[in-house]
Amino acid sequence: MATTTDRHTVTHDGVAIPVSRGGTGRPLVLCPGLTSTQAELSGLIGLLRRDHEVVSFDLRGHGHTSAGEEYAFEAFLGDFRAVMTELGRDGLTEPPVLVGHSYGADLIVHYAAESSGPIAGLVLIDGANPIPAPFITAADLPGFRALWESVARERQLVADPARRVVLTAQEILELNLEVDRMRSGIDLDTAVAGSGIIDRYRSIGCPISMIMSTSMAGDGDDAGSRRYNRLWRAGAERLVRQFPRIATTWLDADHGLVVTHAPEIARIIRDTRAARVRQSA
């Protein structure tokens, strides 16, 4: 087992992905969300390394990972596949647990649905949610565009390169629209309904745990926040109705729970492992 931090680089599609690996225990791969970096998840990573061998990395265009020519879900998923392939060659001691926050949760669900390799389990933190309707409506576009312009400016100029994000506001907006369609199965432009991410769960055989925020969009009393929070809960409840085996924990938090509630999340992941060990004994 690794007791010190090992750093190496995985290259895929012209993108250099620095990967960190450290800690002692069962293997765990942590995938951050969009506009988030592993530097911001350092608190959770440190806690998880107490009883896991944690592998962490940044998405393309985030932190120390180089920029890519394309920013789309399939491009990010290809990078994740490359990291997992490299880990497979490194000879993990046992099948890994995959943990993803927000966009990272969607990535690991899609990966697990298509992968033939062994996976010990998935932990989805406030993501991969089959919401019954898109978050972003045509009326919401101006507000979201302004939001991402502010975020993009801030993240491009941040002094710490480990926290920098080079994506433009338009690229971030398009990625959010894409994942909105994938989660809900509804295209904003055509209003045509498809299956959405919920069908991916049918192809996953490993245990799944969800850690969800009660106020994903914050606790504001405006109509937008109420709608987003209502959709978020409805999506998770829909998923559990169809797949009762999915264990769900709700935390009194917003979408930043991976930072603000790191100790609770680390405990849930640890307790999930302990429960599975007892069941198999």
Side-chain angles (χ1 to χ4, degrees):
M1 297 292 184
T3 55
T4 59
T5 301
D6 171 67
R7 294 181 173 85
H8 62 283
T9 299
V10 174
T11 302
H12 172 256
D13 193 27
V15 176
I17 309 166
V19 177
S20 299
R21 185 173 174 180
T24 302
R26 64 170 177 167
L28 182 153
V29 182
L30 178 62
C31 185
L34 195 61
T35 71
S36 177
T37 68
Q38 60 178 320
E40 293 163 324
L41 306 185
S42 59
L44 178 60
I45 291 171
L47 291 166
L48 290 173
R49 282 183 174 174
R50 295 177 182 177
D51 44 23
H52 295 82
E53 182 183 5
V54 179
V55 176
S56 58
F57 66 99
D58 288 320
L59 302 177
R60 58 172 56 197
H62 293 63
H64 290 299
T65 297
S66 63
E69 292 187 3
E70 180 184 11
Y71 295 107
F73 189 85
E74 185 59 34
F76 288 109
L77 183 58
D79 293 344
F80 186 73
R81 291 191 196 106
V83 171
M84 294 301 296
T85 298
E86 181 70 18
L87 289 174
R89 284 195 289 262
D90 277 355
L92 293 175
T93 55
E94 59 181 293
V97 175
L98 306 184
V99 180
H101 172 235
S102 189
Y103 196 89
D106 293 78
L107 289 172
I108 67 172
V109 164
H110 281 256
Y111 174 82
E114 68 179 28
S115 176
S116 59
I119 299 171
L122 303 184
V123 179
L124 313 175
I125 306 173
D126 234 26
N129 190 348
I131 50 178
F135 261 28
I136 306 175
T137 66
D140 294 325
L141 278 173
F144 273 93
R145 185 171 287 109
L147 168 66
W148 292 122
E149 284 173 354
S150 173
V151 170
R153 282 195 302 270
E154 176 185 340
R155 300 311 298 270
Q156 290 168 1
L157 298 175
V158 68
D160 183 0
R163 298 172 183 266
R164 194 170 298 153
V165 177
V166 302
L167 278 67
T168 67
Q170 185 61 32
E171 288 167 338
I172 298 171
L173 177 60
E174 289 175 359
L175 287 166
N176 275 271
L177 289 169
E178 182 184 29
V179 79
D180 222 16
R181 288 192 299 270
M182 296 173 71
R183 288 173 177 172
S184 67
I186 301 173
D187 189 289
L188 176 63
D189 296 325
T190 65
V192 174
S195 57
I197 196 174
I198 199 162
D199 266 4
R200 293 285 179 166
Y201 286 92
R202 305 184 198 284
S203 303
I204 300 174
C206 66
I208 303 173
S209 299
M210 297 186 73
I211 304 173
M212 304 297 287
S213 63
T214 56
S215 304
M216 186 268 193
D219 56 6
D221 197 37
D222 58 287
S225 296
R226 291 198 305 271
R227 176 177 177 272
Y228 303 140
N229 290 335
R230 187 167 58 249
L231 283 174
W232 204 241
R233 180 170 285 276
E237 291 174 347
R238 172 193 180 198
L239 183 63
V240 174
R241 279 196 304 272
Q242 292 207 29
F243 304 97
R245 66 185 177 88
I246 297 177
T248 305
T249 303
W250 290 90
L251 294 182
D252 186 13
D254 61 22
H255 197 52
L257 76 170
V258 75
V259 174
T260 60
H261 289 64
E264 293 95 321
I265 291 171
R267 177 187 54 76
I268 292 166
I269 294 172
R270 184 171 56 250
D271 290 351
T272 299
R273 164 68 167 182
R276 289 174 188 157
V277 169
R278 287 195 298 270
Q279 289 171 5
S280 63

